[in-house]
Every structure is written in C-alpha cells, then in structure tokens.
Amino acid sequence: MSVTLEDARRVIAAAEKRADEIGQPMNIAVVDAGGNLVAHVRQDGAWIGSIEISISKAWTSKAFDISTKDLGDNSQPTQQFFGIHTTNAHGRGVAIFAGGVPLTRDGKVVGAVGVSGGSGEQNQTVAEAGAAAL
C-alpha cells in the first residue's frame, strides 16, 4: 500500500485550505511509502527556501515512520536520537523540526506529508490537516 497521486492531491488540498485559514503561505510535499516525492505545491508567497525543507520533512517522517516534531523531541541532548540530524541519509538531510507527519491507512504508514513556510506550530497544524484528509 502506498500514497497515490489522487491521495497526494487530497492531502495537499486540505493542507492548502488550512494554510489559507491561518494566513500563512506554505510549501507542501507528499511522499509515498518508499519516501519518493509524489507531489509538491508552493503556495503563492511561500518562501523558496522552504521547498527542499518541506520535501525533507516528508521524507524524514516516512523514513522513520514518526512525526518530525516527535523525532525532534527525541533528538535533543541526552535523548536517544541526539545527533540524528547530522546524518545525510540518501543525500537528503534528516529534518527534526515540526511539520512532517506520517500518512496512515488501516494502521500502516503509506507515505508522509511535509510542510514548511511558517512557525513550527503553523507547519504542524497544516501538516496535520493534510494528513487528516487521507
């Protein structure tokens, strides 16, 4: 099981709606079960610097089947994953800040959504809105 293009479009539409509601333009990326990019949207006015970050958040969330917010909490000094962000798995950095959320179907992770362009709280709420649409 994996995210389809139709699924990705639904996730992105829900995330865009939430970003519009909070008034913060975002970059929104969706990856499939293999961590491969399925779709990406850069809303008008969203930072170009956040394009790759949104993709990295989605990839990281799927690679570890965890939200990047939770991974970040566990990668602080004295925590079990301290230093994970310094790794460079498959040429993509590991993102350890809010905005990456696994996409699940029937209890199985089938992809992930990554959002970047606002504060951590804004990124997380937009990513969660997208994930809820799956």
Side-chain angles (χ1 to χ4, degrees):
M1 256 195 300
S2 191
V3 171
T4 65
L5 180 56
E6 182 181 332
D7 294 332
R9 287 178 174 156
R10 189 168 54 254
V11 167
I12 287 173
E16 283 187 289
K17 180 179 179 201
R18 183 68 180 128
D20 291 344
E21 289 170 357
I22 65 172
Q24 182 62 51
M26 297 286 190
N27 282 278
I28 305 157
V30 175
V31 299
D32 64 15
N36 302 298
L37 184 64
V38 176
H40 175 270
V41 166
R42 178 177 162 259
Q43 291 186 293
D44 292 342
W47 299 326
I48 60 170
S50 288
I51 294 169
E52 192 61 34
I53 295 169
S54 67
I55 297 168
S56 290
K57 286 180 183 183
W59 181 87
T60 298
S61 185
K62 175 53 200 117
F64 298 102
D65 293 345
I66 188 173
S67 77
T68 55
K69 181 182 181 309
D70 290 342
L71 184 61
D73 291 344
N74 282 289
S75 64
Q76 299 306 306
T78 74
Q79 297 301 310
Q80 63 180 337
F81 298 129
F82 179 66
I84 196 169
H85 65 285
T86 64
T87 64
N88 190 10
H90 297 286
R92 185 171 307 285
V94 175
I96 59 167
F97 34 90
V101 175
L103 298 173
T104 60
R105 182 178 287 133
D106 301 325
K108 181 175 170 59
V109 178
V110 295
V113 59
V115 175
S116 186
S119 68
E121 184 177 321
Q122 289 171 323
N123 296 337
Q124 189 70 22
T125 192
V126 171
E128 289 172 355
L134 186 64

